[in-house]
Amino acid sequence: MTPAEIKLKRTDAILQELIPEAISQLGDARLHELDVIEVRCAKGRSDAKVYLDPHDYSEAERNAFLKQLRKARPVIEDYCMKDQGWYRCPKLAFVFDDQLQKTQQIEALFKQIEGDKHDES
């Protein structure tokens, strides 16, 4: 792993710790229940995607959360920047991570196929 990759991973890890802290400082209590799964910075560390746990939120709830987070983004970035003493913070983009749900659906399909095979025997 190159020094640049190590620095990028370190930034990811720091942001993954700081963003939930920053969100907990916000006045909107609904945002406090959001869980940050992962943070991935772009190579130049100018942008970062923040992956959130979708739980069982409806599409309307997700959109409302994302709208609130877009409004609070400058405050969250400022919190991270001040905490670490950075000159600038990566521009944060919040998205809900549906990968876990997709994986569970695929696993359920495999179990169903396996069950069908046993029924035929």
Side-chain angles (χ1 to χ4, degrees), residues 37-38 50-54 62 95-101:
I37 296 175
E38 185 177 10
V50 180
Y51 294 93
L52 305 168
D53 186 2
R62 289 183 188 188
V95 294
F96 281 96
D97 186 11
D98 292 326
Q99 196 63 37
L100 180 64
Q101 288 178 331

Side-chain angles (χ1 to χ4, degrees), residues 37-108:
I37 296 175
E38 185 177 10
V39 178
R40 286 195 199 142
C41 288
K43 273 194 175 180
R45 291 186 297 164
S46 58
D47 297 314
K49 271 197 176 179
V50 180
Y51 294 93
L52 305 168
D53 186 2
H55 289 294
D56 291 327
Y57 300 126
S58 69
E59 196 64 34
E61 289 173 318
R62 289 183 188 188
N63 290 334
F65 281 132
L66 292 176
K67 184 177 179 182
Q68 291 170 315
L69 287 169
R70 276 193 296 274
K71 287 181 183 177
R73 183 183 53 79
V75 175
I76 296 169
E77 290 173 358
D78 190 52
Y79 179 90
C80 296
M81 198 168 51
K82 287 181 179 175
D83 186 82
Q84 290 298 302
W86 290 339
Y87 175 70
R88 66 180 180 84
C89 180
K91 185 176 178 184
L92 304 176
F94 297 92
V95 294
F96 281 96
D97 186 11
D98 292 326
Q99 196 63 37
L100 180 64
Q101 288 178 331
K102 290 177 185 176
T103 303
Q104 289 172 341
Q105 289 172 348
I106 290 171
E107 287 177 7

